[in-house]
Amino acid sequence: MTTTQVEILEKEEIKLVGFSVMESLNDILANRTVGILREDLDKRKNEVENREGDGIYLIQLYSAGGWTPDTPFENIVAVKVSSFAEIPSDMITHVVPAGQYAKFVHIGLESEISHTYDRINDYGPRPFDVEYWEDIHSLETEESEIDIYIPVK
């Protein structure tokens, strides 16, 4: 498992369509909630109009009161769209704001991503972070790469 802070970069806003769930990290791990939503979205992504690419995003929005593994927070699993059109009735929209982001890359098994977050957490609390999975079917391989974007203040 290798992690690298690749760069600080400017990102344009990202328009997303997908699913949202409010759950703690411990519940997500116990119930595989995000994994199930990711698989459901992968099966249904062709229903999303104006979709760009096959990758899937995870947006984790943290509450202002501080984060613990038992504190529920919003998790959005979504695909990128060029513009919002007709949205499937059980899906939501979300916009990741444009701005400056630190990009980290987690290389290796997704199940070991906590090691990467331990390093990222050294930078202090943040309002949200963004994961990008290009291929969800290879996440438990040694070659898997997950891009993680952290907003820079």
Side-chain angles (χ1 to χ4, degrees), residues 87-99:
I87 308 301
S89 62
D90 59 341
M91 294 188 191
I92 57 101
T93 62
H94 182 77
V95 177
V96 175

Side-chain angles (χ1 to χ4, degrees), residues 1-130:
M1 186 265 325
T2 308
T3 61
T4 311
Q5 182 178 352
V6 177
E7 60 189 317
I8 303 290
L9 49 90
E10 292 290 329
K11 290 197 58 75
E12 296 181 6
E13 79 173 15
I14 305 169
K15 293 179 177 72
L16 299 166
V17 173
F19 300 115
S20 174
V21 64
M22 191 78 148
E23 211 166 85
S24 72
L25 178 62
N26 285 338
D27 288 341
I28 288 168
L29 295 174
N31 302 324
R32 275 197 14 79
T33 310
V34 167
I36 292 167
L37 287 178
R38 178 174 62 203
E39 291 159 12
D40 288 349
L41 183 61
D42 188 53
K43 291 176 193 157
R44 295 185 53 202
K45 61 187 173 189
N46 290 333
E47 296 176 31
V48 178
E49 293 182 27
N50 302 324
R51 181 170 51 89
E52 291 187 345
D54 288 323
I56 294 179
Y57 288 83
L58 169 65
I59 316 306
Q60 300 176 111
L61 301 161
Y62 305 109
S63 65
W67 184 89
T68 74
D70 294 311
T71 304
F73 60 97
E74 187 173 8
N75 296 267
I76 299 170
V77 177
V79 292
K80 183 178 180 181
V81 295
S82 56
S83 62
F84 295 124
E86 182 123 354
I87 308 301
S89 62
D90 59 341
M91 294 188 191
I92 57 101
T93 62
H94 182 77
V95 177
V96 175
Q100 199 173 56
Y101 289 82
K103 178 185 176 186
F104 296 80
V105 180
H106 171 78
I107 300 171
L109 307 178
E110 182 195 26
S111 57
E112 296 177 357
I113 201 166
S114 63
H115 302 295
T116 302
Y117 275 100
D118 287 344
R119 182 161 173 242
I120 292 169
N121 289 338
D122 289 342
Y123 290 82
R126 58 197 172 275
F128 67 92
D129 52 53
V130 178

